Amino acid sequence: MTILFKADSVVSGAEKWRATLKQRLPDMAFRTSDEPGDPADVEYVLCFRATPGTFTGMTNLKAILATGAGVDGLFLDPGLPECPIARIVDPWMAEQMVGWSVYAVHHFYRRFGDYAALQAEGTWFEYDDWEAAPPKVGLLGYGAIGAKVGAALQALRFDVATWTRSPRDIPGVASFSGPDGLMAFLGQTHFLICLLPLTPETEGILNARTLAALPKPAYLINLARGGHVVTADLVQALQSGTLAGAFLDVTEPEPLPPGHPLWSMPNVRITPHCSGPTNAATAADQVADNIRRAEAGRPMLNLVDRGRRY
Ligand code: GLV
């Protein structure tokens, strides 16, 4: 069987994938986009993003194995073949994103940015403006990753709410859903964490109108996709005080160009799309398992619903 690995600025490491998959599927032929060979040989493609033409000539393609949790990048190709698509659902990745989210919330909640500024000027000063009520965190999206982030923050006694497509019944969590529930959800959220899939419905969901619905102070923590946010509206909200701060692992455009205002705002922290890296060592089991399943004519796991795009 022939597998083609397409590296990307987000998911690279072809040699690691080759080595980890070879252990699990010793008979496979592993190709990379540098040496793709005859596209008609390719039966499985491993990729994070597809550009137009990625699948040209792959007349024997059996499945696409996305190398990430989010598959929006595949739908960039209007020629995306009609074969099954599976995505990565890896507890290790989710745990990394839990750690990143908890850090980001605490950056603002425990004023680490403010203390860094005080340290820079050599000032020993303690802010003592604690609220008695637990801080309200709102999770946009509650999938495999959102559920773990929510549970971790609940364990730290944050007051967690979620906004999802359809209503959820989660113990101890206020559930908001659908377009009608969005503004009410935002109205009570001080720490807004975006973990949504990027789809035509969620693109630009954070814009001047929705950001203005947040109470003060409010902070945006985005580890989903830059496309969820209208960047010009975010900059404006940060400049005007509508938003007190933002912690961004993803941006639009990505990477941000030199000199972009977000780079230098004191109330913004940026990391380079690294909150939940795809780890070949932990993800290869499910990729190999899905290939074995497809070869045996059994359904793959973690299949993407093409209508929903996640
Ligand atoms: C990374 O962004 C992923 O979707 O896995």
Side-chain angles (χ1 to χ4, degrees):
M1 111 218 5
T2 301
I3 302 170
L4 177 78
F5 177 85
K6 188 174 175 289
D8 185 272
S9 58
V10 177
V11 182
S12 54
E15 288 321 307
K16 264 197 207 154
W17 279 98
R18 187 196 300 275
T20 46
L21 285 179
K22 199 81 196 163
Q23 283 165 2
R24 291 159 177 85
L25 303 167
D27 296 335
M28 67 156 196
F30 185 92
R31 296 186 185 165
T32 65
S33 24
D34 292 340
E35 289 176 69
D38 182 353
D41 296 341
V42 175
E43 294 163 280
Y44 299 95
V45 172
L46 273 167
C47 69
F48 183 72
R49 272 191 201 115
T51 41
T54 295
F55 303 99
T56 304
M58 294 189 190
T59 46
N60 292 304
L61 189 65
K62 293 181 181 163
I64 299 169
L65 296 144
T67 49
V71 292
D72 48 290
L74 300 179
F75 291 92
L76 296 173
D77 181 359
L80 185 66
E82 284 299 324
C83 63
I85 303 172
R87 66 190 193 98
I88 300 287
V89 179
D90 179 2
W92 182 89
M93 180 197 281
E95 283 151 15
Q96 302 311 303
M97 295 177 84
V98 169
W100 191 99
S101 304
V102 169
Y103 181 103
V105 168
H106 282 84
H107 174 78
F108 297 117
Y109 176 49
R110 300 303 306 269
R111 291 181 170 265
F112 284 117
D114 296 331
Y115 283 121
L118 290 181
Q119 180 182 348
E121 60 184 37
T123 300
W124 183 279
F125 171 77
E126 182 183 354
Y127 294 101
D128 61 355
D129 47 358
W130 292 101
E131 299 282 342
K136 286 185 180 283
V137 171
L139 293 173
L140 273 174
Y142 197 78
I145 297 165
K148 289 200 176 203
V149 171
L153 288 165
Q154 266 189 302
L156 291 167
R157 301 197 180 281
F158 285 86
D159 186 351
V160 176
T162 58
W163 181 81
T164 47
R165 202 178 145 105
S166 42
R168 297 294 184 90
D169 189 7
I170 309 153
V173 170
S175 162
F176 296 81
S177 61
D180 294 345
L182 183 60
M183 295 308 248
F185 162 80
L186 294 170
Q188 57 93 67
T189 293
H190 287 279
F191 297 93
L192 177 63
I193 306 182
C194 182
L195 280 160
L196 288 168
L198 184 64
T199 68
E201 283 85 51
T202 64
E203 188 166 358
I205 192 168
L206 297 174
N207 52 49
R209 188 179 71 90
T210 50
L211 293 174
L214 293 163
K216 284 195 176 62
Y219 306 89
L220 169 65
I221 292 160
N222 189 9
L223 57 163
R225 291 290 184 264
H228 287 117
V229 182
V230 177
T231 304
D233 292 0
L234 170 63
V235 170
Q236 167 66 25
L238 286 160
Q239 279 166 344
S240 66
T242 298
L243 262 186
F247 211 126
L248 309 171
D249 187 45
V250 288
T251 58
E252 177 57 46
E254 191 175 299
L256 287 174
H260 192 282
L262 286 173
W263 280 124
S264 53
M265 290 180 144
N267 50 351
V268 174
R269 284 287 170 279
I270 295 174
T271 57
H273 202 144
C274 63
S275 62
T278 300
N279 179 352
T282 55
D285 276 341
Q286 60 189 271
V287 169
D289 182 39
N290 265 340
I291 291 176
R292 284 191 211 102
R293 282 169 170 269
E295 289 294 295
R298 289 188 295 135
M300 298 195 301
L301 299 179
N302 306 320
L303 279 173
V304 171
D305 176 331
R306 299 177 78 105
R308 289 187 173 184
R309 298 199 175 188
Y310 62 90

